[in-house]
């Protein structure tokens, strides 16, 4: 590992912890992604994390608040980190290959299928509360269906 990679690894620790401290399981390998995506029953809320400002100021806080305020929560909260865990992120994106890759982004996976996707364009330059409400509306509708 070169000095830049080591530096970035340390820089992103709090960005990872922001989600993991709120119940998200980090998937950091191809195998972990495949295991989750092929065996998870029910609904998974997936956050494709990123080091960018819109992930820090909008995506992660909106996701955390949305989940904390839902009465009925998804069975699984998982995350992959774009730009850091490249193999895991690429593998996750294979499960929704028809959607152009973007980060940060969020997906709702239900019973082996992509049920909903929120791309970066619906996160960046949007108010955090609007993103939170978007997440809550999508999750509530999908979980109850």
């Amino acid at each position: 590992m070169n000095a830049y990679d080591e530096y970035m690894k340390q820089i992103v620790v709090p960005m990872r912890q922001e989600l993991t401290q709120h119940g998200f399981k980090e998937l950091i390998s191809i195998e972990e992604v495949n295991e989750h995506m092929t065996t998870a029953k029910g609904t998974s809320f997936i956050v494709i994390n990123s080091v960018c400002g819109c992930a820090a100021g909008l995506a992660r806080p909106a996701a955390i608040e949305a989940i904390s305020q839902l009465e009925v929560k998804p069975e699984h909260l998982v995350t992959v980190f774009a730009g850091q865990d490249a193999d895991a992120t690429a593998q996750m994106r294979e499960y929704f290959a028809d959607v152009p890759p973007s980060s940060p982004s969020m997906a709702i996976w239900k019973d082996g299928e992509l049920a909903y996707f929120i791309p970066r364009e619906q996160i960046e330059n949007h108010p955090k509360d609007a993103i939170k409400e978007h997440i809550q509306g999508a999750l509530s509708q999908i979980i109850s269906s």
Side-chain angles (χ1 to χ4, degrees):
M1 182 176 295
N2 66 36
Y4 174 78
D5 290 337
E6 186 60 35
Y7 173 76
M8 287 306 296
K9 184 177 175 185
Q10 295 307 313
I11 290 293
V12 301
V13 167
M15 298 174 200
R16 292 176 183 277
Q17 291 173 341
E18 189 172 359
L19 290 173
T20 59
Q21 289 176 344
H22 289 92
F24 284 81
K25 179 182 178 188
E26 231 179 356
L27 305 176
I28 59 173
S29 70
I30 291 171
E31 294 77 20
E32 288 177 345
V33 169
N34 286 338
E35 181 178 342
H36 177 81
M37 297 301 280
T38 58
T39 64
K41 302 291 185 226
T43 305
S44 296
F45 179 50
I46 303 161
V47 174
I48 299 175
N49 203 354
S50 173
V51 298
C52 74
C54 65
L58 300 171
R60 290 190 300 266
I64 292 163
E65 286 182 30
I67 294 301
S68 72
Q69 295 172 2
L70 279 175
E71 285 187 33
V72 179
K73 299 181 185 330
E75 286 85 355
H76 310 279
L77 304 173
V78 297
T79 181
V80 295
F81 206 122
Q84 300 302 306
D85 301 321
D87 293 341
T89 303
Q91 188 62 32
M92 180 63 77
R93 287 176 171 152
E94 285 294 316
Y95 285 94
F96 20 93
D98 292 342
V99 177
S102 65
S103 56
S105 57
M106 301 170 195
I108 302 172
W109 185 260
K110 184 171 183 180
D111 298 326
E113 294 184 354
L114 179 64
Y116 198 79
F117 193 83
I118 301 172
R120 177 186 180 115
E121 294 78 32
Q122 294 178 15
I123 297 169
E124 190 175 35
N125 298 320
H126 287 76
K128 180 184 59 121
D129 286 343
I131 301 163
K132 175 188 76 173
E133 291 167 10
H134 185 172
I135 295 165
Q136 288 173 325
L139 280 168
S140 294
Q141 183 176 1
I142 291 164
I143 290 170
S144 66
S145 65

